Amino acid sequence: MKQDLKVGEIQSLAECIGKQKYSGLLIKRTVKGFTYYMKYRDENNKVVKKAIKGIDNITDEKAYKEFNRIKLEISNIKENKPIQRKRISELTTLNEMADYYFDNHEFKSKVNEQQRFNKHCRKEEFNTKLFVLITFDEIDEWLKKLTLTKPANINNPKSTKTLSPKSINNILTLCISIIKYAKQNRKYHGEVLFDQIKKPKVDNVRLKQMTESEIELFLSKLKEEDINSKSFIQLGHLYGLLALTLGAREQTILHIKKEDIDFENQIINLYNFKTETKYLGHIVHEEIEFILRDTIRYNEGFLFHNIQTGKVYKKAPSIVRNILDKYININKQEDSKITVRDLRNVFATRLINKGMSLSLIQNLLNHKTPTMTARYAQMMDTTGGEELKAMFKI
């Protein structure tokens, strides 16, 4: 649309390229190219319109940065702060810092974190403006919006479930990591800002359980669906078995490879993406071993991958969620319904109720500290009274 401007014609850059963030910038067609202008209110609240000069090979983005620099300078004058004559840093917006972070920082969960940022942060208007001009009010509005956002795995349009406080905390933590990485590498020199935000309180104690009859029904329906399906490998049933016998997180299970399985020692090498550590899981009975052996006959790489594309599943097989909703969650309240993520909690609380020590459960869950595991103790079906009486023969 810019190219359609006639010589001498002046128009809003935001209208020319359809991006609202460029509001306040104007562009004029000249014989040699384009001249950029900015329109703003100065420290005396008077409207100022002037050409942007002194920038070689000027582009829309360079003009936008200069515009933001002037706005910051006016803001500093109003607040009696020193005027910043030079640009604050090489990276001036949160989106620029995020691009730098994901392009240069290597970590195992990069793809997932990048998707998280793109979904919840990148398109927000405040992320495209000069970072030091972002206000707490803008961040508060964004946080309110997050509390009303539905999780990506909620397919039911009638569901009222929204992002948990823990998910929102993870988003905030990611933003803090992005900004601190830019500071560490001297690409940004201002405040972290997000560090000062009060994070939502996370209720880590609210854990969910399944009865033994529910677990039996869940696995039997998965097996039944797999047998009746056209697929020649039982991925739904296999996922359910592994989730309830390994207690691993969803991404850990989905990234199990053929070479991770040691049938001789009956172990599976697992990777914890949260702590970026390796640990061991166990093949606990013959049915799992049989299905694993049958699965790796067809899957040379990852156990859970799309045969046509070769890509690893991003989520557990859909049949797992379908069976949970159809048979296990059918009569449960919204906050008591079991999700794929809750299968890890089901694994832990089963072990607690079967009398396994917390130290062993800590190893099986790959928890860093005993405190993380101790929260499951409150889920015990017994208070210990009967066992105590039996010990002392009361």
Side-chain angles (χ1 to χ4, degrees), residues 45-151:
N45 209 34
K46 291 184 178 180
V47 177
V48 176
K49 176 181 166 185
K50 68 176 184 179
I52 300 176
K53 298 179 180 179
I55 299 177
D56 296 331
N57 301 316
I58 191 167
T59 61
D60 297 345
E61 199 62 35
K62 287 181 180 179
Y64 179 61
K65 287 187 177 182
E66 178 64 12
F67 181 41
N68 275 326
R69 188 189 69 78
I70 294 294
K71 286 165 65 178
L72 177 62
E73 192 172 291
I74 294 169
S75 176
N76 287 338
I77 292 173
K78 287 181 178 180
E79 297 177 19
N80 294 318
K81 293 181 179 179
I83 297 175
Q84 300 277 353
R85 293 298 179 188
K86 295 183 179 180
R87 298 187 183 190
I88 293 176
S89 58
E90 184 177 331
L91 303 173
T92 59
T93 68
L94 184 58
N95 281 347
E96 288 179 355
M97 292 183 219
D99 291 337
Y100 178 76
Y101 179 75
F102 293 120
D103 288 344
N104 297 279
H105 185 41
E106 290 300 325
F107 54 103
K108 289 287 183 180
S109 57
K110 179 191 284 192
V111 174
N112 293 333
E113 294 292 72
Q114 195 165 12
Q115 290 174 346
R116 176 177 287 167
F117 182 85
N118 290 341
K119 178 176 177 60
H120 299 293
C121 307
R122 186 170 293 279
K123 295 180 181 179
E124 295 302 316
E125 187 175 343
F126 71 82
N127 283 344
T128 64
K129 68 187 291 187
L130 198 67
F131 188 74
V132 293
L133 292 179
I134 296 175
T135 65
F136 284 108
D137 287 341
E138 288 176 298
I139 298 177
D140 283 340
E141 286 299 315
W142 171 58
L143 289 176
K144 289 177 183 176
K145 181 179 176 181
L146 286 180
T147 61
L148 300 174
T149 303
K150 290 185 178 181

Side-chain angles (χ1 to χ4, degrees), residues 231-246:
S231 175
F232 49 86
I233 49 177
Q234 301 178 34
L235 290 183
H237 188 212
L238 177 60
Y239 186 92
L241 286 169
L242 292 179
L244 292 172
T245 59
L246 295 177

Side-chain angles (χ1 to χ4, degrees), residues 15 94 158 164 184 195 209 226 241 252 279 282 314 373-374 380 384:
E15 292 177 4
L94 184 58
K158 296 182 179 180
S164 67
Q184 289 168 4
D195 238 348
Q209 296 188 78
D226 275 340
L241 286 169
T252 296
Y279 68 109
H282 301 271
K314 292 183 179 180
T373 314
M380 290 185 68

